Amino acid sequence: MTTDQENNLTESTKEQRHTDSNDGLQRDQLPRKDYYNKWDTFTKETVEELDEENERLEKENDEILGKSKYPSSEAEQKDKETNEKLKDAKKVWDKRANLEEAAKFLVEEATDANQVIDETVLQGKKIITFKNCTNCTYDVSRELVGMIKIFVAGCVNCTISVAPKLITSHVELVHCEAVTLNVVENEIHTVQVDLSTGVVLRYGEGLFQPGQKIYHAGSSDMSIICDGGRLSAHADYLADMPDPPLTEAAPEEQTFITQMVESELLTEPALHVGNRFVPQRELDMETATQAEVTEREKEELAGQAEREKLCGNQSFGAHEYSQAAVHYTMAIDYASHMEKEARDAMLCAAYSNRAACFLKLGQHDKALIDADQCIKANPAFVKGHFRRGLALHALHRYDEALPSLGKALELEKKTNKASIRQINEAIKFAEVKFGKLMQARRAGEKGR
């Protein structure tokens, strides 16, 4: 309490006493209850003033002693670290969102346009969205490099030709009417068409191969034309609906897959299994015994696994970690029918890469599970142990992280200096964190 406040409080007290002494006769004549209530009020107000002043002084002392900057317990330290991580995660997420937004090029509300989309138009942007365009023709130039993805939404009577290679190998159409998508020069692994009518997908010679898929839901009167018309198919979600339905969902929510099977285009209803859609035919094939799978089917499945892994690598390189994780999941599923040596190699790579995706996404528990699966497939794989150590470190299990990081260092080739430096940095960081944790624990035990 300051001197001025003490003086003011003293004066207030004196004044109150003077008043009481001057009206002593009246006070004596007051009922005992009223008299004590009067002093209770005065006492309460005075105590509140003292408490407020003490609280302010304590805050000032804490600032001087640095208590507001440094945690006083292990629990407070963890809370502080969690808050810092949340702040850092938000910064990373905001930065990623800003980068993605900056990478988007929007063509919106255009009518009767005829345009070539090239670098002079995009100015370095890598994602194209055509939205609510009518009676337009667009040619996406073959000269474009590093394009990520193309979206088409709410367009009517438009033709869009896509020539460049897409990193994600993915084009999506939704709420479109009478839109033609021409795939020229480069394969597009996945096309998704939802809630649309009269869509035409036209693939150039040899650009629709086994393993590529067209996912569609709630889309009617859709045509798929390949190799100049040599292969074609017609899809309509009402006409193709199985009887009885596979699920209780609304008809427009049933997903179908059109793909090449035995050199023909086949449209099948798909089931949602885990985080993927798969036709019953493929599920039956997956559950068949290894002896019943032909050598040709094994080769096809191995090829599909390899393609999914490569697509995952492309998505990861484009910072599309969720999409990459989906591709690696499909590679893991396809790998189940491969020969043991090839299967273990594929599982090792796919689990390791998916663990890296989960680390980027902040899903550290899942990253740890995948790292363990990677090590199970190949105990000598350096990245499996390294990513296991990173996952454990992120989970604050530093005492478990250090042996995994040490194993990675032991297995890494001495000539790979960059990797060795990275592992050593992770070990040092884990050692520091573990040391601080032990100090906090010892301090907590002494304080009990």
Side-chain angles (χ1 to χ4, degrees):
M1 185 183 297
T2 62
T3 304
D4 290 339
Q5 286 175 316
E6 289 176 349
N7 291 336
N8 290 338
L9 183 58
T10 303
E11 292 299 323
S12 175
T13 305
K14 289 179 179 178
E15 181 180 350
Q16 181 65 44
R17 289 172 179 168
H18 178 69
T19 303
D20 288 337
S21 63
N22 287 341
D23 61 358
L25 180 63
Q26 295 178 13
R27 183 192 64 185
D28 292 339
Q29 294 174 351
L30 284 174
R32 183 178 298 272
K33 179 180 178 183
D34 291 344
Y35 171 70
Y36 284 115
N37 283 344
K38 182 177 180 181
W39 276 101
D40 283 345
T41 301
F42 170 75
T43 303
K44 182 178 179 182
E45 291 174 352
T46 304
V47 170
E48 287 177 353
E49 289 181 11
L50 290 170
D51 288 343
E52 289 176 2
E53 179 62 15
N54 286 335
E55 183 178 353
R56 187 185 68 78
L57 290 173
E58 284 181 5
K59 287 183 179 179
E60 291 179 357
N61 288 336
D62 286 348
E63 290 292 335
I64 295 171
L65 296 173
K67 289 185 179 180
S68 61
K69 297 180 181 178
Y70 305 105
S72 59
S73 67
E74 182 179 348
E76 187 177 341
Q77 172 68 22
K78 287 183 178 179
D79 288 341
K80 193 168 185 178
E81 289 177 358
T82 300
N83 290 334
E84 290 299 322
K85 287 180 180 179
L86 288 173
K87 290 179 183 178
D88 292 341
K90 186 178 185 303
K91 289 179 183 178
V92 172
W93 181 263
D94 290 343
K95 182 179 179 181
R96 180 184 175 191
N98 291 336
L99 289 173
E100 288 183 355
E101 192 62 32
K104 291 179 182 177
F105 180 81
L106 177 63
V107 181
E108 187 175 18
E109 305 286 353
T111 302
D112 299 322
N114 191 330
Q115 185 179 18
V116 175
I117 307 293
D118 56 17
E119 187 56 40
T120 59
V121 175
L122 295 182
Q123 295 293 306
K125 297 183 183 293
K126 303 299 183 183
I127 300 172
I128 305 176
T129 297
F130 299 98
K131 185 176 181 181
N132 299 334
C133 298
T134 305
N135 300 325
C136 297
T137 300
Y138 294 103
D139 292 313
V140 184
S141 172
R142 65 173 61 87
E143 305 299 329
L144 293 171
V145 177
M147 295 302 299
I148 297 174
K149 192 181 292 186
I150 293 177
F151 295 95
V152 186
C155 293
V156 179
N157 294 323
C158 293
T159 299
I160 300 171
S161 299
V162 180
K165 185 175 181 180
L166 303 179
I167 291 175
T168 61
S169 198
H170 181 87
V171 174
E172 184 174 342
L173 297 88
V174 62
H175 292 296
C176 290
E177 181 180 348
V179 169
T180 296
L181 175 69
N182 294 321
V183 181
V184 295
E185 295 198 26
N186 284 288
E187 295 179 8
I188 295 178
H189 186 269
T190 305
V191 174
Q192 185 170 336
V193 184
D194 293 333
L195 303 171
S196 299
T197 183
V199 168
V200 177
L201 304 179
R202 194 183 302 274
Y203 291 81
E205 190 72 31
L207 293 181
F208 195 79
Q209 296 293 323
Q212 295 174 221
K213 289 181 172 63
I214 302 167
Y215 295 87
H216 44 103
S219 294
S220 59
D221 193 24
M222 184 172 73
S223 298
I224 301 101
I225 303 170
C226 305
D227 299 343
R230 185 181 65 81
L231 289 175
S232 64
H234 183 267
D236 188 295
Y237 79 101
L238 291 177
D240 297 331
M241 187 66 62
D243 187 18
L246 297 182
T247 69
E248 296 180 357
E252 61 271 18
E253 295 179 5
Q254 172 64 59
T255 295
F256 294 84
I257 298 176
T258 298
Q259 59 184 321
M260 189 179 293
V261 178
E262 295 182 357
S263 301
E264 297 292 335
L265 292 178
L266 178 63
T267 297
E268 303 169 279
L271 293 166
H272 194 188
V273 180
N275 55 6
R276 64 179 178 133
F277 288 96
V278 58
Q280 184 63 53
R281 175 186 55 82
E282 291 185 11
L283 281 178
D284 293 340
M285 185 174 69
E286 290 174 6
T287 55
T289 61
Q290 191 70 24
E292 292 172 338
V293 180
T294 67
E295 289 301 320
R296 180 180 175 183
E297 287 171 333
K298 287 181 183 178
E299 292 176 2
E300 287 181 356
L301 289 170
Q304 288 174 333
E306 186 62 31
R307 281 190 290 271
E308 291 294 345
K309 187 185 79 170
L310 292 175
C311 287
N313 294 347
Q314 289 177 335
S315 296
F316 191 92
H319 309 294
E320 295 280 346
Y321 304 119
S322 295
Q323 182 69 26
V326 171
H327 286 301
Y328 293 135
T329 299
M330 296 182 72
I332 290 167
D333 291 338
Y334 285 130
S336 62
H337 291 294
M338 298 169 66
E339 297 294 341
K340 185 180 187 311
E341 184 176 351
R343 179 177 70 246
D344 287 346
M346 177 58 69
L347 291 177
C348 175
Y351 276 121
S352 174
N353 292 348
R354 196 171 70 172
C357 293
F358 288 142
L359 285 171
K360 291 288 187 181
L361 294 168
Q363 300 177 24
H364 304 123
D365 288 322
K366 292 182 178 180
L368 178 58
I369 292 171
D370 275 6
D372 284 337
Q373 289 297 321
C374 168
I375 295 169
K376 182 179 178 181
N378 183 0
F381 193 61
V382 175
K383 289 182 180 178
H385 293 281
F386 180 61
R387 285 166 182 164
R388 184 177 193 274
L390 294 182
L392 288 166
H393 185 282
L395 293 167
H396 307 294
R397 293 160 59 179
Y398 309 117
D399 54 335
E400 297 175 71
L402 286 168
S404 290
L405 295 171
K407 186 65 176 179
L409 185 63
E410 175 188 331
L411 292 171
E412 185 58 274
K413 295 179 181 178
K414 303 307 178 187
T415 54
N416 196 345
K417 298 186 181 299
S419 177
I420 289 175
R421 182 170 58 253
Q422 187 179 27
I423 296 170
N424 276 322
E425 288 175 355
I427 290 173
K428 289 178 182 177
F429 196 45
E431 287 175 339
V432 170
K433 288 286 188 179
F434 182 60
K436 289 182 177 179
L437 180 62
M438 295 305 295
Q439 288 177 357
R441 286 178 180 174
R442 285 194 291 268
E445 290 172 357
K446 289 180 179 179
R448 292 189 187 131

